[in-house]
Amino acid sequence: APAQPAAAAAPAEPRTKMPGPLLEGSPLYVDAGDRQVQVLLTMKHPRVVVFGDLLSDEECEGLIAGARERLARSLTVETKTGGEALNVDRTSDGMFFTRGESPLVQRVEERIARLLHWPVEFGEGLQILRYAPGAQYRPHYDYFDPAEPGTPTILRRGGQRLATLVIYLQEPGQGGGTTFPDVGLEVAPRRGTGVFFSYDRPDPSTRTLHGGAPVLAGEKWVATKWLREREFA
Ligand code: PD2
Ligand code: ZN
């Protein structure tokens, strides 16, 4: 008998419990424990929230100082193998702090956990990226593609990514916004501001395609926190 084609994967069910701020009553500020954070923009689909005054100038400078000497050409997770490889879609330089690796990193992570109502232990280490003039991050999804053969290996540690928080640490002179091409949204890379977005299933229907626009002048630095389904040990 001829071999049967593999059954099509069932469409992903949306998750109900998701990271995110409490926005009932449309507050202008939300409590992040040690700081009142501004709510500057909210969007429902894709779920996007822009936060102002999330980090102080000193905190932004401290993260940059701690990362600077550890930068190497960024590696993105190579989903075909579950390993890492150079990816031409991202022309920034980057590194990861381990969770809680310094008092500053721990303070920032605890603030994010309070803001987004998601345990610190479910977060990946903070990633720091530096974009030189001309550097960009082409539009992509942050979840791991269920169709890629390397994805099951990646998901063993912490499960899927559910949400992303990109925090701007240094403003470029021009360019470098975070774009959401499906909805024509671009967030200006203002120091201390953070753009949060979540995806309740690993699927383009979440409209969370996003990219880092080319930096046209100066250097852009960001910190990215990804939130997982479970403990990221
Ligand atoms: O630096 C950005 O604006 C950016 C854009 C898209 C960062 C990321 N993705 C990321 O870190 O995933
Ligand atoms: Zn991204």
Side-chain angles (χ1 to χ4, degrees), residues 77-164:
V77 177
E78 175 53 78
T79 49
K80 288 188 173 51
T81 62
E84 288 189 314
L86 281 175
N87 187 333
V88 294
D89 289 342
R90 187 158 90 185
T91 48
S92 55
D93 300 301
M95 56 78 70
F96 279 91
F97 287 114
T98 60
R99 237 183 17 236
E101 91 159 61
S102 72
L104 171 59
V105 167
Q106 188 171 342
R107 167 151 49 102
V108 168
E109 290 174 333
E110 284 171 3
R111 187 178 304 157
I112 293 170
R114 287 283 294 264
L115 178 70
L116 301 177
H117 303 274
W118 209 248
V120 165
E121 296 76 21
F122 291 19
E124 298 181 31
L126 264 186
Q127 176 190 240
I128 308 293
L129 294 177
R130 175 182 63 189
Y131 298 78
Q136 64 179 306
Y137 198 166
R138 291 187 199 281
H140 60 275
Y141 299 97
D142 281 356
Y143 57 75
F144 301 108
D145 183 348
E148 290 288 347
T151 293
T153 305
I154 295 167
L155 298 188
R156 267 189 250 147
R157 187 178 180 201
Q160 262 292 359
R161 287 178 174 164
L162 301 177
T164 305

Coordinates of all heavy atoms in Angstrom, one line a residue, residues 77-164:
V77 N 18.8 31.5 17.3 CA 18.6 30.0 17.4 C 18.3 29.4 16.0 O 17.4 29.9 15.3 CB 17.4 29.8 18.4 CG1 17.2 28.3 18.5 CG2 17.8 30.3 19.8
E78 N 19.1 28.5 15.7 CA 18.9 27.8 14.4 C 17.9 26.7 14.6 O 18.2 25.6 15.1 CB 20.3 27.2 14.0 CG 20.4 26.4 12.7 CD 19.8 27.2 11.5 OE1 20.4 28.0 11.0 OE2 18.6 26.8 11.2
T79 N 16.7 27.0 14.1 CA 15.6 26.0 14.4 C 15.7 24.7 13.6 O 15.0 23.8 13.9 CB 14.2 26.7 14.2 OG1 14.2 27.3 12.9 CG2 13.9 27.7 15.2
K80 N 16.5 24.7 12.6 CA 16.6 23.5 11.8 C 17.3 22.4 12.6 O 17.1 21.2 12.5 CB 17.3 23.7 10.5 CG 16.3 24.5 9.5 CD 16.9 24.6 8.1 CE 15.8 25.2 7.2 NZ 15.3 26.4 7.8
T81 N 18.3 22.8 13.5 CA 19.1 21.9 14.2 C 18.9 22.0 15.7 O 19.3 21.1 16.4 CB 20.6 22.1 13.9 OG1 20.9 23.4 14.4 CG2 20.9 22.0 12.4
G82 N 18.3 23.0 16.2 CA 18.2 23.3 17.6 C 19.5 23.9 18.2 O 19.6 24.2 19.3
G83 N 20.5 24.1 17.3 CA 21.7 24.8 17.7 C 21.7 26.2 17.4 O 20.6 26.8 17.3
E84 N 22.8 26.9 17.3 CA 22.9 28.3 17.0 C 23.8 28.5 15.7 O 24.7 27.7 15.5 CB 23.5 29.1 18.1 CG 22.6 29.2 19.3 CD 23.1 30.2 20.4 OE1 24.3 30.1 20.7 OE2 22.3 31.0 20.8
A85 N 23.5 29.5 15.0 CA 24.3 29.8 13.8 C 24.2 31.3 13.5 O 23.2 31.9 13.9 CB 23.7 29.0 12.6
L86 N 25.1 31.8 12.7 CA 25.1 33.2 12.3 C 23.9 33.3 11.4 O 23.6 32.5 10.6 CB 26.3 33.5 11.5 CG 27.6 33.8 12.4 CD1 28.8 34.1 11.5 CD2 27.3 35.1 13.2
N87 N 23.2 34.4 11.6 CA 21.9 34.7 10.8 C 22.1 36.0 10.1 O 22.2 37.0 10.8 CB 20.7 34.6 11.7 CG 19.4 34.7 11.0 OD1 19.3 35.3 9.9 ND2 18.4 34.1 11.6
V88 N 22.0 36.0 8.8 CA 22.2 37.3 8.1 C 21.0 38.2 8.2 O 21.2 39.4 7.9 CB 22.5 37.1 6.6 CG1 23.8 36.3 6.4 CG2 21.3 36.3 5.9
D89 N 19.9 37.7 8.8 CA 18.7 38.6 8.9 C 18.9 39.6 10.1 O 18.2 40.5 10.3 CB 17.5 37.8 9.2 CG 17.0 37.1 8.0 OD1 17.4 37.5 6.9 OD2 16.2 36.1 8.1
R90 N 19.9 39.3 10.9 CA 20.2 40.2 12.1 C 21.6 40.7 12.0 O 22.5 39.8 12.1 CB 19.9 39.4 13.4 CG 20.0 40.3 14.6 CD 19.3 39.7 15.7 NE 20.2 38.8 16.5 CZ 19.8 38.1 17.5 NH1 18.5 38.1 17.9 NH2 20.6 37.4 18.2
T91 N 21.8 42.0 11.9 CA 23.1 42.5 11.7 C 23.6 43.2 12.9 O 24.6 44.0 12.9 CB 23.1 43.4 10.5 OG1 22.0 44.3 10.5 CG2 23.0 42.6 9.2
S92 N 23.0 43.0 14.1 CA 23.4 43.6 15.3 C 24.4 42.7 16.0 O 24.7 41.5 15.6 CB 22.2 43.8 16.2 OG 21.6 42.5 16.4
D93 N 25.1 43.2 17.1 CA 25.9 42.4 17.9 C 25.2 42.1 19.2 O 24.5 43.0 19.7 CB 27.2 43.1 18.2 CG 28.0 43.4 17.0 OD1 28.3 42.4 16.2 OD2 28.2 44.6 16.7
G94 N 25.4 41.0 19.9 CA 24.6 40.7 21.1 C 25.2 39.8 22.0 O 26.3 39.1 21.8
M95 N 24.7 39.7 23.2 CA 25.1 38.8 24.3 C 23.9 38.6 25.2 O 22.9 39.3 25.1 CB 26.2 39.4 25.1 CG 26.0 40.8 25.7 SD 25.1 40.8 27.3 CE 26.2 40.0 28.4
F96 N 24.0 37.6 26.1 CA 23.0 37.3 27.1 C 23.6 37.4 28.5 O 24.7 36.9 28.7 CB 22.4 35.9 27.0 CG 21.4 35.7 25.9 CD1 21.7 35.3 24.6 CD2 20.0 35.8 26.2 CE1 20.8 35.1 23.6 CE2 19.1 35.6 25.2 CZ 19.4 35.2 24.0
F97 N 22.9 38.1 29.4 CA 23.2 38.0 30.8 C 22.5 36.7 31.3 O 21.4 36.4 30.8 CB 22.6 39.2 31.5 CG 23.3 40.5 31.3 CD1 22.7 41.6 30.7 CD2 24.6 40.7 31.8 CE1 23.4 42.8 30.5 CE2 25.3 41.9 31.6 CZ 24.7 42.9 31.0
T98 N 23.1 36.1 32.2 CA 22.3 35.0 32.9 C 21.3 35.6 33.9 O 21.6 36.8 34.3 CB 23.2 34.0 33.6 OG1 24.0 34.7 34.6 CG2 24.2 33.3 32.6
R99 N 20.2 34.9 34.2 CA 19.2 35.5 35.0 C 19.8 35.8 36.4 O 20.6 35.0 37.0 CB 18.1 34.5 35.2 CG 16.8 35.1 34.8 CD 15.6 34.3 35.0 NE 15.7 33.1 35.8 CZ 15.5 31.9 35.5 NH1 15.0 31.6 34.3 NH2 15.7 30.9 36.3
G100 N 19.6 37.0 36.9 CA 20.1 37.5 38.2 C 21.5 37.6 38.3 O 22.1 37.6 39.4
E101 N 22.3 37.8 37.2 CA 23.7 37.7 37.3 C 24.4 38.9 38.0 O 25.5 38.8 38.5 CB 24.4 37.4 35.9 CG 24.7 38.6 35.1 CD 25.8 38.3 34.0 OE1 25.5 37.4 33.2 OE2 26.9 38.9 34.1
S102 N 23.7 40.0 38.1 CA 24.2 41.2 38.9 C 23.0 41.8 39.6 O 21.8 41.5 39.2 CB 24.8 42.2 37.9 OG 23.8 42.9 37.2
P103 N 23.2 42.6 40.6 CA 22.1 43.3 41.3 C 21.3 44.1 40.3 O 20.0 44.1 40.4 CB 22.8 44.1 42.3 CG 24.1 43.4 42.6 CD 24.5 42.8 41.3
L104 N 21.9 44.7 39.4 CA 21.1 45.5 38.4 C 20.3 44.6 37.5 O 19.1 44.9 37.3 CB 22.1 46.4 37.5 CG 21.5 47.1 36.3 CD1 20.4 48.0 36.7 CD2 22.5 47.8 35.5
V105 N 20.8 43.6 37.0 CA 20.1 42.6 36.2 C 18.9 42.1 37.0 O 17.7 42.0 36.5 CB 21.0 41.5 35.6 CG1 20.1 40.4 35.0 CG2 21.9 42.1 34.6
Q106 N 19.1 41.7 38.2 CA 18.1 41.1 39.1 C 17.0 42.2 39.3 O 15.8 41.8 39.2 CB 18.7 40.7 40.4 CG 17.7 39.9 41.2 CD 18.4 39.2 42.4 OE1 19.6 39.1 42.5 NE2 17.6 38.8 43.4
R107 N 17.3 43.4 39.6 CA 16.3 44.5 39.8 C 15.5 44.6 38.6 O 14.2 44.8 38.7 CB 17.1 45.8 40.2 CG 16.2 47.0 40.2 CD 16.7 48.0 41.2 NE 18.1 48.3 41.1 CZ 18.6 49.4 40.5 NH1 17.9 50.3 39.9 NH2 19.9 49.6 40.4
V108 N 16.1 44.7 37.4 CA 15.3 44.9 36.2 C 14.4 43.7 35.9 O 13.2 43.8 35.6 CB 16.3 45.1 35.0 CG1 15.6 45.0 33.7 CG2 17.0 46.4 35.1
E109 N 14.9 42.5 36.2 CA 14.1 41.3 36.0 C 12.9 41.2 36.9 O 11.8 40.8 36.6 CB 15.0 40.0 36.1 CG 15.9 39.9 34.9 CD 16.9 38.8 35.0 OE1 17.2 38.4 36.1 OE2 17.4 38.4 33.9
E110 N 13.1 41.6 38.2 CA 12.0 41.6 39.1 C 11.0 42.7 38.8 O 9.8 42.4 38.9 CB 12.6 41.8 40.6 CG 13.2 40.6 41.1 CD 14.0 40.8 42.4 OE1 14.0 41.9 43.0 OE2 14.6 39.8 42.8
R111 N 11.4 43.8 38.3 CA 10.5 44.8 37.8 C 9.6 44.3 36.7 O 8.4 44.5 36.6 CB 11.2 46.1 37.4 CG 10.3 47.3 37.1 CD 11.1 48.5 36.7 NE 12.1 48.8 37.8 CZ 13.2 49.6 37.6 NH1 13.5 50.0 36.4 NH2 14.0 49.8 38.6
I112 N 10.3 43.6 35.7 CA 9.5 43.1 34.6 C 8.5 42.0 35.0 O 7.4 42.0 34.6 CB 10.5 42.5 33.5 CG1 11.4 43.6 32.9 CG2 9.8 41.7 32.5 CD1 12.6 43.1 32.1
A113 N 8.9 41.2 36.0 CA 8.0 40.1 36.5 C 6.8 40.7 37.1 O 5.7 40.3 36.9 CB 8.8 39.2 37.4
R114 N 7.0 41.8 37.9 CA 5.9 42.5 38.5 C 5.0 43.2 37.5 O 3.7 43.1 37.6 CB 6.4 43.5 39.5 CG 7.0 43.0 40.8 CD 5.9 42.5 41.8 NE 5.1 43.6 42.3 CZ 5.3 44.2 43.5 NH1 6.3 43.9 44.2 NH2 4.5 45.2 43.9
L115 N 5.6 43.8 36.6 CA 4.8 44.5 35.5 C 4.0 43.6 34.7 O 2.8 43.9 34.4 CB 5.8 45.3 34.6 CG 5.3 46.0 33.4 CD1 4.6 47.3 33.9 CD2 6.4 46.4 32.5
L116 N 4.5 42.4 34.4 CA 3.9 41.5 33.4 C 3.2 40.3 34.1 O 2.6 39.5 33.4 CB 4.9 41.1 32.3 CG 5.5 42.2 31.6 CD1 6.6 41.7 30.6 CD2 4.5 43.0 30.8
H117 N 3.3 40.3 35.4 CA 2.6 39.2 36.2 C 3.0 37.8 35.7 O 2.2 37.0 35.4 CB 1.1 39.4 36.1 CG 0.6 40.7 36.6 ND1 0.4 41.0 38.0 CD2 0.5 41.9 36.0 CE1 0.1 42.2 38.1 NE2 0.1 42.8 36.9
W118 N 4.3 37.7 35.6 CA 4.9 36.4 35.1 C 6.1 36.1 35.9 O 6.9 37.0 36.1 CB 5.2 36.5 33.6 CG 5.1 35.2 32.9 CD1 6.1 34.5 32.3 CD2 3.9 34.5 32.6 NE1 5.6 33.4 31.7 CE2 4.3 33.4 31.9 CE3 2.6 34.7 32.9 CZ2 3.4 32.4 31.4 CZ3 1.6 33.8 32.4 CH2 2.0 32.6 31.7
P119 N 6.3 34.9 36.4 CA 7.4 34.6 37.3 C 8.8 34.9 36.7 O 9.0 34.5 35.5 CB 7.3 33.1 37.6 CG 5.8 32.8 37.3 CD 5.4 33.7 36.2
V120 N 9.7 35.4 37.5 CA 11.1 35.6 37.0 C 11.6 34.4 36.4 O 12.4 34.4 35.4 CB 11.9 36.1 38.2 CG1 13.4 36.0 37.9 CG2 11.6 37.6 38.6
E121 N 11.3 33.2 37.0 CA 11.9 31.9 36.6 C 11.5 31.5 35.2 O 12.1 30.6 34.6 CB 11.5 30.8 37.6 CG 12.1 31.0 39.0 CD 11.3 32.1 39.8 OE1 10.1 32.4 39.5 OE2 11.9 32.7 40.8
F122 N 10.4 32.1 34.7 CA 9.9 31.7 33.4 C 10.5 32.6 32.3 O 10.2 32.4 31.1 CB 8.3 31.9 33.3 CG 7.5 30.9 34.1 CD1 8.1 30.1 35.2 CD2 6.2 30.7 33.8 CE1 7.3 29.2 35.9 CE2 5.4 29.7 34.6 CZ 6.0 29.0 35.6
G123 N 11.4 33.5 32.7 CA 12.0 34.4 31.7 C 13.4 33.9 31.3 O 14.1 33.3 32.1
E124 N 13.7 34.1 30.0 CA 15.1 33.8 29.6 C 16.0 34.9 30.1 O 15.5 36.0 30.6 CB 15.2 33.9 28.0 CG 14.3 32.8 27.4 CD 14.4 32.8 25.8 OE1 15.5 33.2 25.3 OE2 13.4 32.4 25.2
G125 N 17.3 34.7 30.1 CA 18.2 35.8 30.5 C 18.0 37.0 29.6 O 17.6 36.8 28.4
L126 N 18.4 38.2 30.1 CA 18.2 39.4 29.3 C 19.2 39.3 28.1 O 20.4 39.1 28.4 CB 18.6 40.6 30.1 CG 17.5 41.4 30.8 CD1 18.2 42.7 31.5 CD2 16.4 41.9 29.9
Q127 N 18.7 39.6 27.0 CA 19.6 39.7 25.8 C 19.9 41.2 25.5 O 19.0 42.0 25.6 CB 19.0 39.1 24.6 CG 19.8 39.3 23.3 CD 19.1 38.9 22.0 OE1 19.5 38.1 21.3 NE2 18.0 39.6 21.8
I128 N 21.2 41.5 25.3 CA 21.5 42.9 24.9 C 22.0 42.9 23.4 O 22.8 42.0 23.0 CB 22.7 43.4 25.8 CG1 22.3 43.3 27.3 CG2 23.0 44.9 25.4 CD1 21.2 44.1 27.8
L129 N 21.4 43.8 22.6 CA 21.8 44.0 21.2 C 22.3 45.4 21.0 O 21.7 46.3 21.5 CB 20.7 43.7 20.3 CG 20.1 42.3 20.3 CD1 18.8 42.3 19.3 CD2 21.1 41.3 19.8
R130 N 23.4 45.5 20.2 CA 23.9 46.8 19.7 C 23.8 46.8 18.2 O 24.3 45.9 17.5 CB 25.3 47.0 20.1 CG 25.9 48.2 19.5 CD 27.4 48.4 19.9 NE 28.2 47.3 19.3 CZ 29.5 47.2 19.6 NH1 30.1 47.9 20.4 NH2 30.2 46.2 19.0
Y131 N 23.1 47.8 17.7 CA 23.0 48.0 16.2 C 23.9 49.2 15.8 O 23.6 50.4 16.3 CB 21.6 48.4 15.8 CG 20.5 47.3 16.1 CD1 20.0 47.2 17.4 CD2 20.0 46.6 15.1 CE1 19.0 46.2 17.7 CE2 18.9 45.6 15.4 CZ 18.5 45.5 16.7 OH 17.5 44.6 16.9
A132 N 24.8 49.0 14.9 CA 25.7 50.0 14.4 C 24.9 50.7 13.2 O 23.8 50.1 12.8 CB 27.0 49.5 13.9
P133 N 25.3 51.8 12.7 CA 24.7 52.4 11.5 C 24.5 51.4 10.4 O 25.5 50.6 10.1 CB 25.6 53.5 11.1 CG 26.3 53.9 12.4 CD 26.5 52.6 13.1
G134 N 23.3 51.3 9.8 CA 23.1 50.3 8.8 C 22.5 49.0 9.3 O 22.0 48.2 8.5
A135 N 22.7 48.7 10.6 CA 22.3 47.4 11.1 C 20.8 47.4 11.3 O 20.1 48.4 11.5 CB 23.0 47.1 12.4
Q136 N 20.2 46.2 11.2 CA 18.7 46.0 11.3 C 18.4 44.6 11.7 O 19.3 43.8 11.8 CB 18.0 46.3 10.0 CG 18.4 45.3 8.9 CD 17.7 45.6 7.6 OE1 16.4 45.7 7.6 NE2 18.4 45.7 6.5
Y137 N 17.2 44.4 12.0 CA 16.7 43.0 12.3 C 15.5 42.8 11.5 O 14.4 43.5 11.7 CB 16.4 42.9 13.8 CG 16.3 41.5 14.4 CD1 16.3 41.3 15.8 CD2 16.2 40.4 13.6 CE1 16.2 40.1 16.4 CE2 16.2 39.1 14.2 CZ 16.2 39.0 15.5 OH 16.1 37.7 16.1
R138 N 15.6 42.0 10.4 CA 14.5 41.9 9.5 C 13.3 41.3 10.2 O 13.4 40.5 11.2 CB 14.9 41.1 8.3 CG 15.9 41.8 7.4 CD 16.2 41.0 6.2 NE 17.5 41.4 5.6 CZ 17.6 42.5 4.8 NH1 16.5 43.3 4.6 NH2 18.8 42.9 4.4
P139 N 12.0 41.6 9.7 CA 10.8 41.1 10.3 C 10.8 39.6 10.5 O 11.2 38.8 9.6 CB 9.7 41.6 9.4 CG 10.3 42.8 8.8 CD 11.7 42.5 8.6
H140 N 10.4 39.2 11.7 CA 10.4 37.8 12.1 C 9.4 37.6 13.2 O 8.8 38.6 13.7 CB 11.8 37.4 12.6 CG 12.2 38.2 13.8 ND1 12.8 39.4 13.7 CD2 12.1 38.0 15.1 CE1 13.0 39.9 14.9 NE2 12.6 39.1 15.8
Y141 N 9.2 36.3 13.6 CA 8.4 36.0 14.8 C 9.3 35.5 15.9 O 10.3 34.9 15.6 CB 7.4 34.9 14.5 CG 6.4 35.3 13.4 CD1 6.6 34.9 12.1 CD2 5.2 36.0 13.7 CE1 5.7 35.3 11.1 CE2 4.3 36.4 12.7 CZ 4.6 36.0 11.4 OH 3.7 36.4 10.4
D142 N 9.0 35.8 17.1 CA 9.9 35.4 18.2 C 9.6 34.0 18.7 O 10.4 33.4 19.3 CB 9.8 36.4 19.4 CG 10.7 37.6 19.1 OD1 11.4 37.7 18.1 OD2 10.6 38.6 20.0
Y143 N 8.4 33.5 18.5 CA 8.0 32.1 18.9 C 8.8 31.1 18.0 O 9.3 31.5 16.9 CB 6.5 31.8 18.8 CG 5.9 32.1 17.5 CD1 6.1 31.2 16.4 CD2 5.1 33.2 17.2 CE1 5.5 31.4 15.2 CE2 4.5 33.4 16.0 CZ 4.7 32.5 15.0 OH 4.1 32.7 13.7
F144 N 8.9 29.9 18.5 CA 9.6 28.9 17.7 C 8.6 28.2 16.8 O 7.6 27.7 17.2 CB 10.3 27.9 18.7 CG 11.3 28.6 19.6 CD1 11.0 28.8 21.0 CD2 12.5 29.1 19.1 CE1 11.9 29.4 21.8 CE2 13.4 29.7 19.9 CZ 13.1 29.9 21.3
D145 N 9.0 28.1 15.5 CA 8.1 27.6 14.5 C 7.8 26.1 14.7 O 8.8 25.3 14.6 CB 8.7 27.8 13.1 CG 7.8 27.4 12.0 OD1 6.8 26.7 12.2 OD2 8.1 27.8 10.8
P146 N 6.6 25.7 15.0 CA 6.3 24.3 15.3 C 6.6 23.4 14.1 O 6.9 22.2 14.3 CB 4.8 24.3 15.5 CG 4.4 25.7 15.8 CD 5.4 26.6 15.1
A147 N 6.7 23.9 12.9 CA 7.0 23.1 11.7 C 8.5 22.8 11.5 O 8.9 22.0 10.7 CB 6.5 23.8 10.5
E148 N 9.4 23.5 12.3 CA 10.8 23.3 12.1 C 11.3 22.1 12.9 O 10.9 21.9 14.1 CB 11.6 24.6 12.6 CG 11.4 25.8 11.7 CD 12.2 25.6 10.4 OE1 13.0 24.7 10.3 OE2 11.9 26.4 9.5
P149 N 12.1 21.3 12.4 CA 12.5 20.1 13.0 C 13.3 20.3 14.3 O 13.2 19.4 15.2 CB 13.4 19.3 12.0 CG 13.8 20.4 11.0 CD 12.7 21.4 11.0
G150 N 13.9 21.4 14.5 CA 14.7 21.6 15.8 C 13.8 22.1 16.9 O 14.3 22.2 18.1
T151 N 12.6 22.4 16.6 CA 11.8 23.1 17.7 C 11.5 22.2 18.9 O 11.6 22.7 20.0 CB 10.5 23.6 17.0 OG1 10.8 24.7 16.2 CG2 9.5 24.2 18.1
P152 N 11.2 20.9 18.8 CA 11.0 20.1 20.0 C 12.1 20.2 20.9 O 12.0 20.2 22.1 CB 10.7 18.7 19.4 CG 10.2 19.0 18.0 CD 10.9 20.2 17.5
T153 N 13.4 20.2 20.4 CA 14.6 20.2 21.3 C 14.6 21.5 22.0 O 14.8 21.6 23.2 CB 15.8 20.1 20.4 OG1 15.7 18.9 19.6 CG2 17.1 20.1 21.2
I154 N 14.3 22.6 21.3 CA 14.3 23.9 22.0 C 13.2 24.0 23.1 O 13.5 24.6 24.1 CB 14.1 25.0 20.9 CG1 15.3 25.1 19.9 CG2 13.9 26.4 21.6 CD1 15.0 25.9 18.7
L155 N 12.1 23.4 22.8 CA 10.9 23.6 23.7 C 11.1 22.8 25.0 O 10.4 23.0 26.0 CB 9.6 23.1 23.1 CG 9.2 23.9 21.8 CD1 7.8 23.5 21.4 CD2 9.2 25.4 22.1
R156 N 12.1 21.8 25.0 CA 12.3 21.0 26.2 C 12.7 21.9 27.4 O 12.5 21.6 28.6 CB 13.4 20.0 26.0 CG 12.9 18.7 25.6 CD 14.0 17.6 25.5 NE 14.3 17.2 24.2 CZ 15.5 16.9 23.7 NH1 16.5 16.9 24.5 NH2 15.6 16.6 22.5
R157 N 13.4 23.0 27.1 CA 13.8 24.0 28.1 C 12.8 25.1 28.2 O 12.9 26.1 27.4 CB 15.2 24.5 27.8 CG 15.9 25.3 28.9 CD 17.3 25.7 28.5 NE 17.9 26.6 29.5 CZ 18.9 27.4 29.3 NH1 19.4 27.5 28.1 NH2 19.4 28.1 30.3
G158 N 11.8 25.0 29.0 CA 10.9 26.2 29.3 C 9.7 26.3 28.4 O 8.8 27.2 28.6
G159 N 9.5 25.4 27.4 CA 8.4 25.5 26.5 C 8.5 26.7 25.5 O 9.6 27.2 25.3
Q160 N 7.3 27.0 25.0 CA 7.3 28.1 24.0 C 7.5 29.5 24.6 O 7.3 29.7 25.8 CB 5.9 28.2 23.3 CG 5.8 27.4 21.9 CD 6.6 28.1 20.8 OE1 7.3 29.1 21.0 NE2 6.6 27.5 19.6
R161 N 8.0 30.4 23.7 CA 8.0 31.8 24.1 C 6.5 32.3 23.9 O 5.8 31.9 22.9 CB 8.8 32.6 23.1 CG 10.3 32.4 23.4 CD 11.1 33.2 22.4 NE 12.6 33.1 22.7 CZ 13.5 33.5 21.8 NH1 13.2 33.9 20.6 NH2 14.8 33.4 22.2
L162 N 6.1 33.1 24.9 CA 4.7 33.6 24.8 C 4.7 35.1 24.6 O 3.7 35.7 24.2 CB 4.0 33.3 26.2 CG 3.9 31.8 26.5 CD1 3.2 31.7 27.9 CD2 3.1 31.1 25.5
A163 N 5.8 35.8 25.0 CA 5.8 37.2 24.9 C 7.2 37.8 24.9 O 8.1 37.0 25.3 CB 5.0 37.8 26.1
T164 N 7.3 39.0 24.4 CA 8.6 39.7 24.2 C 8.5 41.1 24.8 O 7.5 41.7 24.7 CB 8.9 39.8 22.7 OG1 8.9 38.5 22.1 CG2 10.3 40.5 22.5

